[in-house]
Amino acid sequence: GQQVMQIPQYQHVQEGEDFTTYCNSSTTLSNIQWYKQRPGGHPVFLIQLVKSGEVKKQKRLTFQFGEAKKNSSLHITATQTTDVGTYFCAVSVYNNDMRFGAGTRLTVKP
Amino acid sequence: DAGVIQSPRHEVTEMGQEVTLRCKPISGHDYLFWYRQTMMRGLELLIYFNNNVPIDDSGMPEDRFSAKMPNASFSTLKIQPSEPRDSAVYFCASSFMWDGSGGYTFGSGTRLTVV
């Protein structure tokens, strides 16, 4: 079946340090989405990537979609305490619904 | 739009009781999804609807779980009888497309505790 691996499972950083989470699939994806869930909250849509090699930026967040459309990354530059939460990728294989990765839990020490 | 609305926010019930979770999707979204989130299993898709019709219920864990969508603005997820292992946060989400193009909008969730 469709497998999506998200690494790392946890990441603890000092405020101001960078953070990256990776999402890897065993199959070619039609698109990938990223979500953020604050502690006690619900997943909130951040962005969608569709094209091979696509790179999108949202302020300090940079999202990349691999050339083979099997992997993606989310990079946060100079983390802040407001970045705390769990970051999920959600993947769609052609003609199938979205499946969520296990998430990367980010904690930021002030 | 007020977003996806779920009720109740919290539910504590005794084992064996019936539990009904409710969801109002965003108007105009044709797809509605029910997810369950636990520490052990993460976010699991239980079932999703398109235009009020159930499309894929392969994630529904057992016959104790059932979901309905009688109209475009309302869906329920029912557990009967409930068991302690059903304790989780249940999210409802809606979107324009099945693959979430443009993103899924999640409700605030229902935290279910079965004792």
Side-chain angles (χ1 to χ4, degrees), chain B residues 3-12 19-25 34 73-78 89-93 106-112:
Chain B
V4 176
I5 300 173
Q6 290 187 248
S7 65
R9 288 296 306 273
H10 302 274
E11 177 80 31
V12 180
V19 176
T20 299
L21 312 180
R22 297 172 176 79
C23 175
K24 181 181 187 304
W34 281 101
S73 60
F74 184 66
S75 177
T76 61
L77 178 67
K78 184 178 294 185
V89 180
Y90 291 81
F91 288 106
C92 174
F106 281 79
S108 298
T110 295
R111 182 174 295 275
L112 173 66

Side-chain angles (χ1 to χ4, degrees), chain A residues 66-107:
Chain A
E67 293 290 341
K69 299 184 72 174
K70 289 186 176 181
N71 54 72
S72 179
S73 65
L74 159 59
H75 179 81
I76 302 178
T77 302
T79 55
Q80 299 175 0
T81 55
T82 53
D83 296 325
V84 165
T86 301
Y87 292 84
F88 293 96
C89 63
V91 302
S92 172
V93 179
Y94 294 98
N95 299 321
N96 280 298
D97 53 83
M98 300 293 289
R99 301 286 167 161
F100 282 78
T104 296
R105 181 177 296 179
L106 173 65
T107 56

Side-chain angles (χ1 to χ4, degrees), chain B residues 73-100:
Chain B
S73 60
F74 184 66
S75 177
T76 61
L77 178 67
K78 184 178 294 185
I79 308 173
Q80 165 64 20
S82 58
E83 297 182 3
R85 60 190 167 128
D86 301 330
S87 297
V89 180
Y90 291 81
F91 288 106
C92 174
S94 68
S95 75
F96 285 112
M97 295 292 292
W98 58 266
D99 65 354

Side-chain angles (χ1 to χ4, degrees), chain A residues 36-53:
Chain A
K36 177 184 179 181
Q37 184 176 20
R38 294 181 185 273
H42 58 277
V44 175
F45 174 73
L46 295 176
I47 209 158
Q48 175 172 293
L49 304 172
V50 179
K51 300 177 182 177
S52 168

